[in-house]
Amino acid sequence: VSTTVLISLCCASSAFGLHGRASSALKKTGLLSSAPKPMVQPLDLRGNRISETALLNSEAAELPRGGEAAKSGGIDGGLIAYFALWYLGNYYYNISNKLALNAAGGKTGFPMTISSLQLGIGCIYGIFLWLAPDAREKPKVTTADIIKMLPVSFCFMGAHCASVFAMGMGAVSFAQIVKASEPAFAAVLSQFVYGKKVSTAKWLCLPIVIGGVVLASVKELDFAWSALISACIANMFAAVRGNENKKLMESEGIKDRIGSIGNQFAITSILGFLLSLPVLLIQEGSRLGEFVQMAKTTPALWVNLVSSAFFFYGYNELATMTLKKTGAVTQSVANTAKRVIVIVGVAVVLGESLSPIKLIGCSIGIGGVLLYSVIDSLVKPKKA
């Protein structure tokens, strides 16, 4: 029941946003009001009833100069809720994904089938939001836009499938520690492939990240070369995707035609799912009948498969929306905190090894990632 409620919250948040069209539609129908009418109506000095509009105007005039009260130091409850749902969605995705992989046979199971179906189920949800009234405005992309989005979608598919494969081959916590070293791959690609210079300070942070990952791997009880290689491949795809996405967003008018972050992720998921089908048929196509039979007789497989798909789609949208509303330093701290929560929490729930050496390596690696993210702002010379 708690899993179903959390999925609903993640999906609702990603669908409508903090101030979405659905809330305004509900207010028009009277199902959702901004504030209940007081039982005692305010009166002026002559005994005449004061309208709500006049009262609001008078209150607004008394606000401090510079904007609304929320902007003058108030707590953004919506943003806090987004952070909480993002973390919970990521946490439960990793757990349900691992349980689905285990139910499908573990290391000898169906990682490609599971990862592809996770994308497919997410696509259904994304399409539903376009069809549902007042949920999400449809994108107005052209065929040329779709073609431009193919590299990003392919890398998105590759990163997701390789991550699922890594988690199937070894411990989730180990795969997450290796995935935390993504900045190293991003730095190399940016410098030598995309021609974007990486600062010396950032290069000096990379040995800390890599050293932490190596240290965490030394005493890993569930160590497997296949898990390490798959996680590195996922990092490579993710790094390429980040650079390709920047190039895509620089295309004239494409942001306006896509319409929103949710639309971009939905289109990317649909294209990623379609691109994953040939890989699925080549790698596990001959065993699909076995997978279908297993899903029919093993409720743990299809239940965790479906829930992991919704968690994956929901937390990715929430992460993008949350990070867009925050600054660079907040984003770095948030990503670091998320990794710690997922690595430690999932390891405890799934009974994975958390030896002192692994924890020290994990702390060094993730600390290096945080330092890499903020080092340029720390060493930037102050303006006179």
Side-chain angles (χ1 to χ4, degrees):
V1 175
S2 60
T3 300
T4 304
V5 171
L6 185 57
I7 289 175
S8 302
L9 285 172
C10 287
C11 292
S13 300
S14 68
F16 303 121
L18 292 175
H19 304 287
R21 296 167 61 200
S23 59
S24 60
L26 287 173
K27 286 178 182 178
K28 289 178 182 178
T29 60
L31 295 175
L32 180 65
S33 57
S34 55
K37 291 185 178 181
M39 293 180 67
V40 179
Q41 299 293 325
L43 304 176
D44 62 13
L45 294 175
R46 297 180 179 180
N48 299 318
R49 184 172 294 167
I50 303 174
S51 67
E52 290 183 11
T53 304
L55 186 62
L56 287 172
N57 288 338
S58 64
E59 289 176 351
E62 296 174 5
L63 284 174
R65 203 177 220 179
E68 300 174 3
K71 293 180 181 178
S72 60
I75 297 174
D76 191 338
L79 184 59
I80 293 174
Y82 262 33
F83 268 114
L85 290 172
W86 168 28
Y87 284 12
L88 283 172
N90 191 293
Y91 171 76
Y92 279 106
Y93 160 71
N94 280 277
I95 292 176
S96 56
N97 179 60
K98 183 63 175 179
L99 293 175
L101 288 166
N102 289 342
K107 295 180 180 180
T108 59
F110 299 86
M112 190 63 213
T113 303
I114 288 174
S115 59
S116 182
L117 288 176
Q118 285 170 342
L119 295 177
I121 294 170
C123 292
I124 295 172
Y125 175 66
I127 294 170
F128 164 75
L129 294 181
W130 289 333
L131 300 177
D134 290 315
R136 179 173 290 164
E137 189 174 349
K138 300 180 184 69
K140 300 172 183 177
V141 291
T142 63
T143 304
D145 292 335
I146 296 295
I147 293 173
K148 288 180 181 178
M149 294 182 74
L150 285 176
V152 175
S153 301
F154 179 77
C155 292
F156 168 71
M157 178 273 294
H160 174 61
C161 294
S163 297
V164 172
F165 193 89
M167 293 180 207
M169 295 298 107
V172 174
S173 55
F174 174 67
Q176 289 291 339
I177 292 172
V178 178
K179 285 181 65 181
S181 64
E182 182 188 323
F185 294 83
V188 172
L189 280 171
S190 296
Q191 181 84 44
F192 299 108
V193 178
Y194 291 92
K196 297 179 180 178
K197 188 177 179 181
V198 177
S199 67
T200 303
K202 283 194 170 184
W203 281 113
L204 293 175
C205 293
L206 294 183
I208 302 174
V209 178
I210 296 170
V213 172
V214 171
L215 187 62
S217 306
V218 171
K219 294 292 184 179
E220 173 57 47
L221 299 179
D222 298 315
F223 179 82
W225 281 106
S226 54
L228 176 62
I229 294 170
S230 298
C232 289
I233 292 173
N235 283 343
M236 184 63 72
F237 274 119
V240 175
R241 179 197 173 197
N243 283 283
E244 288 295 327
N245 193 59
K246 288 179 183 177
K247 286 172 58 179
L248 175 67
M249 290 297 103
E250 290 171 359
S251 301
E252 187 178 353
I254 196 166
K255 281 186 180 179
D256 296 330
R257 291 191 292 274
I258 290 175
S260 66
I261 295 171
N263 282 346
Q264 182 184 358
F265 185 69
I267 297 170
T268 302
S269 296
I270 292 170
L271 294 175
F273 169 64
L274 296 175
L275 291 169
S276 73
L277 293 179
V279 184
L280 165 61
L281 294 175
I282 292 170
Q283 190 168 340
E284 297 172 4
S286 60
R287 301 170 57 204
L288 284 179
E290 180 186 346
F291 178 82
V292 172
Q293 188 60 34
M294 190 179 294
K296 289 180 179 178
T297 58
T298 312
L301 172 55
W302 66 264
V303 169
N304 284 293
L305 171 60
V306 173
S307 60
S308 65
F310 281 116
F311 281 131
F312 178 76
Y313 194 98
Y315 96 73
N316 270 285
E317 272 206 11
L318 286 166
T320 308
M321 293 175 181
T322 304
L323 296 179
K324 189 178 180 182
K325 291 173 65 68
T326 58
V329 176
T330 304
Q331 292 176 17
S332 303
V333 175
N335 273 310
T336 302
K338 181 210 71 177
R339 287 189 180 100
V340 172
I341 291 171
V342 170
I343 290 170
V344 176
V346 172
V348 170
V349 171
L350 297 177
E352 297 176 350
S353 63
L354 277 177
S355 64
I357 291 292
K358 184 174 180 178
L359 287 174
I360 293 172
C362 174
S363 302
I364 294 173
I366 291 178
V369 171
L370 176 60
L371 183 61
Y372 175 92
S373 303
V374 301
I375 190 67
D376 283 344
S377 59
L378 292 177
V379 300
K380 184 190 297 183
K382 295 182 179 180
K383 294 181 180 180

